[in-house]
Amino acid sequence: PNDIPEKPEDTEEGDVVISGGDAYLRTGPGTQYDKAGVAHSGEKFTYANPDEWVPVLIDGRILWISGKYAKRT
């Protein structure tokens, strides 16, 4: 199955720019996930987090909630 989400309408190609040097691309949001390649400084990518998942700190743990229900203030 194709797990690549459709491009959100309000994004444009190149709305994420890699800065600060080269970085590993990973299969998930953390270093515990497998490496999937390298993003080089200056490269541009399409933003792909349409739900805007927001990290929150609760009892010393980082948990995640959909941005559909929470916004950063």
Side-chain angles (χ1 to χ4, degrees):
N2 186 354
D3 61 354
I4 299 172
E6 291 184 30
K7 182 178 172 184
E9 291 180 21
D10 61 345
T11 63
E12 296 180 17
E13 187 72 35
D15 54 4
V16 173
V17 178
I18 305 305
S19 63
D22 297 348
Y24 288 115
L25 295 164
R26 295 190 177 268
T27 59
T31 56
Q32 72 272 26
Y33 291 90
D34 292 336
K35 295 174 187 171
V38 176
H40 299 283
S41 185
E43 281 190 290
K44 296 179 180 181
F45 298 96
T46 300
Y47 185 75
N49 189 10
D51 288 339
E52 296 285 336
W53 284 87
V54 179
V56 294
L57 185 62
I58 299 174
D59 296 329
R61 294 176 57 202
I62 296 175
L63 303 173
W64 297 83
I65 186 167
S66 172
K68 292 177 183 177
Y69 306 100
K71 297 292 180 205
R72 188 172 176 190
T73 59

